[in-house]
Amino acid sequence: MHGEYKVPGGKLVVVDFDVVDGVIRNPRVAGDFFLEPDEALADIDSALEGLSAASDAKQIAAAVTANLRPGAVMLGFSAEAVAVAVRRALTDATTWSNYEWEVVHDPAVPPRLHLALDEVLATRVGERRRKPTLRFWEWDESAVVIGSFQSVKNEVDPDGAERYGFDVVRRISGGGAMMMERGNVVTYSLYVPSELVQGMSFADSYAFLDDWVLQGLRGIGIEATYQPLNDIASPLGKIGGAAQKRLGSGGVLHHVTMAYDLDNEKMLEVLRIGREKLSDKGIASAAKRVNPLRSQTGLSRSAVIESLKQTFTDLYGATPGAVTPDELAEAEELVESKFATREWLYRVP
């Protein structure tokens, strides 16, 4: 068995072992991490020896932690990272390099069509009818995109949304409401096979799938970090957030919206942000906690996107692609049958 796990923002952990009669034998942990003292590597190996191959990540991490000698220091990795690498070895997990990737950056479409395309493309990737894909969204309309399980009336001020021309739409992933003002957001979707995140918890997979964009943002001078569960942040404040949906087809949808620019006062008029529960001071804090990309880089929105596309291409050898006419037609049908219906929008009133 062979498993690998690149710790987001950290180092690579590699594990090799045999499975004999349902237990782990002859484990060998390696990687480009730092570990003191040297002898602690044998502690990790011996912790894995004899573990049941059915052990979950928490059990594996606990065994590693319990077996480490006092004073051992792990830098760039952790007991949890070792556990993820082991679980990935025990499943049919894959890595980024196992796939041919496409980057799609097509012209703007209406918000509901973006949401339908997410479902169609993620489904097709799971069914092996499309290569794994990174798609950047373009906007020529503004919208509030609420999470799958959010209440419309609790999240959106209808008067404010109408006043500023924001449509209200619901996506298939969970998470919070996002104010998508045309020209002022950077949004992308990753459509990946479930095998890429096999052996990871949902929390691990968020960090894993966002690692490339953190590298891209750092490349343009932004000190971006991952903040559990689903935020991309910097020392100056939150930049954006991610949401994820795993589909029955075997596809995984992971999409991210980052603020390029933001009108805080407008946001407070369009989104409720639980303001009935917040004091005036709390509302001000909610507005100020987001620090958009424009304030942290001199680049235009389009230049930011082009830089991120280049980072992904350099890392994973991606090639340019496009949504096919067949995929677009399927998404348009899905808009009519689902995303444009009151039943879908008000599934949680």
Side-chain angles (χ1 to χ4, degrees):
M1 299 288 183
H2 175 86
E4 298 183 6
Y5 178 57
K6 168 64 170 62
V7 179
K11 299 298 184 177
L12 178 69
V13 180
V14 181
V15 294
D16 293 280
F17 55 88
D18 304 314
V19 174
V20 181
D21 296 329
V23 299
I24 294 173
R25 297 296 184 194
N26 307 312
R28 300 169 300 282
V29 176
D32 60 355
F33 48 76
F34 299 93
L35 178 64
E36 294 291 345
D38 287 355
E39 294 77 13
L41 185 61
D43 297 344
I44 299 174
D45 288 343
S46 64
L48 301 179
E49 177 70 35
L51 281 182
S52 169
S55 300
D56 63 24
K58 288 184 178 180
Q59 293 169 323
I60 297 168
V64 171
T65 299
N67 208 53
L68 278 174
R69 64 193 62 208
V73 178
M74 307 170 77
L75 297 173
F77 78 125
S78 63
E80 290 74 20
V82 174
V84 171
V86 171
R87 288 304 310 163
R88 285 174 63 77
L90 290 165
T91 63
D92 55 353
T94 56
T95 65
W96 296 92
S97 61
N98 289 119
Y99 302 102
E100 295 180 19
W101 293 88
E102 284 190 1
V103 176
V104 172
H105 189 191
D106 288 343
V109 296
R112 288 178 180 81
L113 189 52
H114 273 307
L115 302 180
L117 281 169
D118 267 359
E119 184 168 340
V120 168
L121 299 183
T123 298
R124 291 194 176 207
V125 168
E127 294 172 345
R128 307 300 191 268
R129 299 164 60 198
R130 159 173 274 280
K131 295 177 182 178
T133 300
L134 167 67
R135 181 175 73 94
F136 283 90
W137 301 21
E138 282 299 336
W139 299 87
D140 57 12
E141 302 175 39
S142 296
V144 175
V145 182
I146 64 172
S148 181
F149 311 108
Q150 288 190 296
S151 162
V152 177
K153 67 179 181 181
N154 288 345
E155 301 300 326
V156 184
D157 185 316
D159 294 333
E162 182 178 2
R163 180 163 55 252
Y164 291 108
F166 282 82
D167 196 3
V168 181
V169 296
R170 184 185 296 276
R171 62 181 184 265
I172 62 173
S173 61
M178 302 296 292
M179 189 178 85
M180 314 286 219
E181 186 171 26
R182 61 179 183 177
N184 279 342
V185 292
V186 174
T187 303
Y188 67 83
S189 297
L190 271 170
Y191 314 108
V192 307
S194 60
E195 291 84 359
L196 183 62
V197 293
Q198 199 73 268
M200 300 183 197
S201 67
F202 271 92
D204 290 330
S205 69
Y206 272 87
F208 179 77
L209 293 176
D210 281 339
D211 191 50
W212 75 272
V213 80
L214 301 184
Q215 295 182 56
L217 292 173
R218 291 169 191 150
I220 58 175
I222 296 173
E223 296 179 45
T225 57
Y226 167 74
Q227 299 291 332
L229 171 65
N230 62 332
D231 284 352
I232 296 172
S234 76
L236 300 178
K238 177 178 175 179
I239 296 170
Q244 194 177 111
K245 178 71 175 180
R246 303 191 181 193
L247 305 179
S249 70
V252 176
L253 163 65
H254 181 90
H255 45 197
V256 170
T257 291
M258 297 181 286
Y260 174 72
D261 203 357
L262 183 66
D263 184 330
N264 286 326
E265 296 304 318
K266 185 183 295 183
M267 180 180 72
L268 291 173
E269 292 184 55
V270 173
L271 301 181
R272 292 193 186 278
I273 317 180
R275 60 192 180 206
E276 289 83 355
K277 299 179 182 179
L278 292 172
S279 66
D280 290 342
K281 181 178 179 181
I283 293 173
S285 297
K288 292 179 180 178
R289 65 187 290 262
V290 177
N291 195 281
L293 296 170
R294 185 175 182 178
S295 70
Q296 301 187 53
T297 177
L299 297 177
S300 65
R301 175 183 173 275
S302 61
V304 169
I305 292 174
E306 289 304 315
S307 181
L308 294 178
K309 287 162 60 177
Q310 190 62 53
T311 295
F312 191 87
T313 298
D314 291 344
L315 286 171
Y316 307 126
T319 57
V323 173
T324 67
D326 179 55
E327 290 166 338
L328 186 60
E330 184 179 345
E332 288 171 339
E333 291 178 4
L334 193 57
V335 169
E336 294 302 315
S337 64
K338 180 176 181 177
F339 289 100
T341 66
R342 285 185 59 83
E343 290 78 13
W344 174 251
L345 178 59
Y346 292 100
R347 64 184 297 233
V348 183

